[in-house]
């Protein structure tokens, strides 16, 4: 499959507009249209239904949109590995989520392989799977839930989750809280990170002006301090971002979260397997 055409397809599928997709790709719209038609001919399937007013994916298009990101990530990973193999220095990449300490496992690996350079790379919630699949790192310490497609996972440890609230919040003096105690507060994160939130009989809706635009933990904590809502974080992540204008309270009626080691299912190299064993030993798993 022509990867360039596949990238063009993803742009159109995400924009659902040929003009915007062409601008995003920095190519002329007629060129983009020809490439999509050529891809449809290659696959012998119609990928889009389009008229003068709208563009929408066909069932075949929806299937390709599901399959395309791993294919593109795999190609990018191959490029990175080939470039790395041409380097005179042997390298191994380890990704990690904030709050997760990876130094012990890295020291154990470099102790066995003195000539190996280990790069540690901080990642974020929406990147923790992609950073493995596109080859930026060989392994990553991830927090669940994580998209498991294309990955192998090994559970390393569990840790409790805490609610982060303003320091002067009415609940701030409690030893712990239940998830229902938080229902009147606005959740400043993707509910997929706190699936128990959806099970509440009711919970606060977004403010009248719409939800604040937040991506990083640091941004979320600024909104918490400003009394715009709350976040529920793994204890180590909350401790990593500790500050005096917010408090963290254990949530006693939700299960702990897990930290896992992730690597590409297509790459079971001896070095990856060795690092997985070392990480497991460091965390007693």
């Amino acid at each position: 499959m022509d990867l360039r055409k596949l990238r063009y397809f993803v742009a159109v599928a995400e924009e659902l507009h040929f003009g915007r997709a062409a601008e995003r790709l920095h190519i002329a719209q007629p060129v983009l249209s020809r490439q999509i038609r050529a891809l449809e001919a290659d696959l012998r399937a119609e990928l889009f239904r389009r008229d003068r007013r709208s563009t929408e994916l066909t069932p075949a298009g929806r299937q390709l949109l599901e399959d395309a990101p791993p294919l593109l990530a795999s190609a990018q990973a191959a490029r990175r590995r080939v470039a790395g193999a041409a380097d005179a220095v042997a390298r191994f990449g380890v990704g990690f989520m904030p709050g997760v300490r990876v130094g012990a496992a890295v020291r154990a690996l470099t102790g066995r392989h003195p000539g190996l350079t280990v790069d540690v790379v901080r990642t974020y919630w929406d990147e923790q799977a992609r950073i493995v699949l596109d080859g930026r790192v060989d392994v990553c310490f991830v927090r669940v839930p994580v998209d498991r497609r294309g990955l192998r996972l090994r559970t390393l440890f569990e840790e409790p989750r805490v609610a982060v609230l303003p320091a002067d919040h009415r609940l701030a003096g409690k030893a712990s809280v239940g998830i229902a105690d938080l229902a009147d507060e606005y959740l400043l994160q993707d509910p997929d990170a706190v699936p128990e939130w959806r099970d509440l009989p009711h919970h606060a809706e977004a403010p009248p002006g719409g939800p604040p635009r937040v991506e990083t933990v640091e941004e979320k904590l600024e909104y918490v301090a400003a009394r715009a809502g709350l976040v529920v974080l793994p204890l180590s992540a909350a401790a990593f971002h500790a500050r005096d204008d917010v408090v963290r309270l254990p949530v006693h009626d939700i299960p702990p979260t897990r930290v896992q080691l992730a690597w590409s299912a297509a790459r079971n190299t001896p070095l990856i397997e060795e690092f997985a064993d070392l990480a497991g030993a460091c965390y007693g798993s």
Side-chain angles (χ1 to χ4, degrees):
M1 186 177 294
D2 187 324
L3 294 178
R4 182 182 60 177
K5 293 176 187 173
L6 192 58
R7 285 193 293 270
Y8 289 174
F9 162 78
V10 169
V12 178
E14 291 178 347
E15 299 288 346
L16 289 179
H17 190 283
F18 276 75
R20 289 195 298 269
E23 291 178 4
R24 170 174 154 181
L25 294 165
H26 305 292
I27 62 174
Q29 184 174 334
V31 173
L32 177 58
S33 297
R34 286 197 297 272
Q35 292 296 315
I36 296 299
R37 286 196 297 270
L39 179 60
E40 290 176 321
D42 292 343
L43 297 175
R44 300 179 184 179
E46 183 183 35
L47 301 173
F48 297 99
R49 294 192 185 96
R50 45 201 183 268
D51 56 31
R52 292 181 179 178
R53 292 180 296 178
S54 66
T55 298
E56 63 180 25
L57 286 163
T58 64
R62 287 193 294 272
Q63 182 61 59
L64 185 58
L65 183 58
E66 180 180 335
D67 292 336
L71 289 173
L72 293 172
S74 179
Q76 184 64 32
R79 292 190 188 97
R80 286 191 168 106
R81 288 195 294 271
V82 169
D87 195 334
V89 178
R91 311 188 81 91
F92 188 81
V94 178
F96 67 96
M97 290 287 285
V100 179
R101 298 184 179 184
V102 303
V106 170
R107 285 196 303 273
L109 185 67
T110 54
R112 290 188 178 189
H113 302 275
L116 181 67
T117 297
V118 178
D119 302 309
V120 293
V121 181
R122 175 178 172 171
T123 188
Y124 296 93
W125 175 264
D126 58 350
E127 284 276 305
Q128 55 179 350
R130 194 179 312 150
I131 195 175
V132 175
L133 296 175
D134 68 12
R136 279 175 282 173
V137 296
D138 296 280
V139 298
C140 187
F141 289 76
V142 302
R143 297 189 188 277
V144 297
V146 65
D147 187 345
R148 303 173 61 91
R149 291 178 297 176
L151 297 178
R152 289 188 62 191
L153 296 162
R154 175 170 178 167
T155 297
L156 298 176
F157 63 92
E158 294 184 338
E159 60 177 318
R161 288 181 285 168
V162 297
V164 184
L165 299 164
D168 59 352
H169 193 275
R170 59 182 174 81
L171 298 173
K174 289 186 171 289
S176 68
V177 294
I179 189 70
D181 296 328
L182 308 170
D184 292 334
E185 305 293 332
Y186 177 66
L187 187 69
L188 288 161
Q189 63 199 117
D190 186 340
D192 284 345
V194 193
E196 300 83 4
W197 192 258
R198 292 196 176 98
D199 297 331
L200 292 174
H202 76 280
H203 50 72
E205 301 296 332
R213 296 179 180 177
V214 290
E215 294 182 6
T216 67
V217 174
E218 292 86 352
E219 290 169 346
K220 292 168 186 172
L221 293 181
E222 291 296 340
Y223 280 110
V224 170
R227 301 187 65 86
L230 82 141
V231 291
V232 177
L233 298 175
L235 176 59
S236 63
F240 178 80
H241 294 283
R243 43 192 289 172
D244 58 12
D245 53 358
V246 301
V247 296
R248 54 183 188 265
L249 301 177
V251 185
H252 58 69
D253 57 355
I254 62 175
T257 187
R258 296 192 307 276
V259 171
Q260 299 179 311
L261 188 72
W263 63 96
S264 171
R267 297 190 65 223
N268 294 320
T269 68
L271 195 59
I272 289 175
E273 295 283 358
E274 182 179 3
F275 185 82
D277 289 339
L278 291 171
C282 289
Y283 290 104
S285 65

